Amino acid sequence: MKTSRRRVRGPLLAVLLTLGLSLSATPASAFPGSPGPATPDIVDSTEHGGRTVALTFDDGPNPEDTPELLDVLRRHRVRAVFCLQGDQVQRHPGIARRIAREGHTLCNHSMYHGDMGDWSEEEIRADLLETDAAIREAVPFARIPYFRAPYGSWGRSPGVAADLGMQPLGWSLAVEDWVPPGTDELVRRVEEGVGPGAVVLLHDGGGDRSQTVEAVARVVPELRSAGWRFTLPARRG
């Protein structure tokens, strides 16, 4: 997990803030992928609970591991949420397009993975708008129904994200794959930690995520055989 705190400054900040003011006057339901008004409540479960689980992946796209992860998910017919980092989308737009093309849900995960805990609403809005623009440059008219704060450091971001039509997306199970503990350990953490309606935090970017890919390839069929169904997080808090 990176610790960059780069912020938008100067003329670009002014432009984004102007755009943000016009967007904030638009009903949240007018945004692509937002059938109703988003709320500031942080979602950390699936819609219906029970033996359902949602897989979410942060910090990508990553050319070393994301394509292989996509292969695994396609093979097992699982749809997931990819929390995309804006600068990574700019570096690897083709992978972002593949994520969307294969039916996965997109999530705004900030532009540079900065800690927003003490940012002003204006700074957060500028960053989220810049990230949305980067995603939609790669994937025109992309639906971006969720926002996830880097490090889970939410600060004022839930309200800003909701104003922009994005539901804040948390998690109920973090397996800490950002410090690779070995594939067997990741599998154990998921299988022992998963509960009804779990939203699982994993990573496809930010470092070597080959262990995560291998763990997902094992966990998905094992959970399915145990009666679990893969779905998406709730759309509203």
Side-chain angles (χ1 to χ4, degrees):
M1 298 177 70
K2 296 183 291 297
T3 58
S4 169
R5 287 181 54 82
R6 178 174 177 180
R7 304 189 186 184
V8 180
R9 297 294 186 189
L12 179 58
L13 175 59
V15 171
L16 290 171
L17 288 176
T18 301
L19 177 60
L21 290 173
S22 65
L23 288 173
S24 64
T26 305
S29 58
F31 288 87
S34 185
T39 74
D41 301 315
I42 300 169
V43 167
D44 62 3
S45 66
T46 62
E47 188 75 43
H48 302 294
R51 293 179 75 82
T52 62
V53 58
L55 300 181
T56 67
F57 299 94
D58 285 12
D59 299 354
N62 163 24
E64 300 301 322
D65 299 304
T66 306
E68 187 175 351
L69 174 62
L70 290 169
D71 290 343
V72 169
L73 297 174
R74 181 172 58 184
R75 184 162 64 248
H76 293 288
R77 298 183 180 180
V78 170
R79 300 284 176 83
V81 178
F82 282 81
C83 300
L84 302 176
Q85 194 171 308
D87 59 347
Q88 289 298 103
V89 172
Q90 290 178 331
R91 293 186 184 102
H92 313 293
I95 303 176
R97 284 191 288 273
R98 180 182 170 187
I99 291 169
R101 185 172 64 247
E102 296 190 0
H104 301 289
T105 298
L106 306 185
C107 170
N108 181 319
H109 194 43
S110 84
M111 194 66 196
Y112 305 107
H113 208 277
D115 185 336
M116 296 181 173
D118 63 354
W119 289 20
S120 69
E121 290 186 0
E122 291 75 17
E123 289 175 311
I124 294 167
R125 184 181 300 274
D127 186 281
L128 268 57
L129 288 171
E130 186 181 9
T131 306
D132 275 359
I135 293 171
R136 291 190 173 119
E137 177 69 21
V139 189
F141 308 107
R143 299 171 63 251
I144 311 171
Y146 298 109
F147 163 73
R148 174 175 280 165
Y151 314 107
S153 183
W154 292 97
R156 299 174 179 85
S157 67
V160 176
D163 284 344
L164 296 177
M166 293 180 285
Q167 188 66 39
L169 176 60
W171 59 85
S172 55
L173 175 60
V175 297
E176 300 186 12
D177 62 335
W178 54 83
V179 181
T183 301
D184 289 345
E185 176 61 15
L186 289 176
V187 170
R188 185 195 67 78
R189 291 177 184 179
V190 174
E191 292 183 340
E192 294 185 3
V194 71
V199 174
V200 183
L201 170 62
L202 296 159
H203 294 76
D204 65 314
D208 180 355
R209 302 303 176 214
S210 57
Q211 291 182 11
T212 298
V213 175
E214 293 166 2
V216 171
R218 287 172 48 183
V219 161
V220 168
E222 291 177 9
L223 288 180
R224 271 221 177 104
S225 68
W228 291 86
R229 180 169 61 89
F230 291 90
T231 184
L232 296 175
R235 290 294 303 276
R236 294 291 172 262

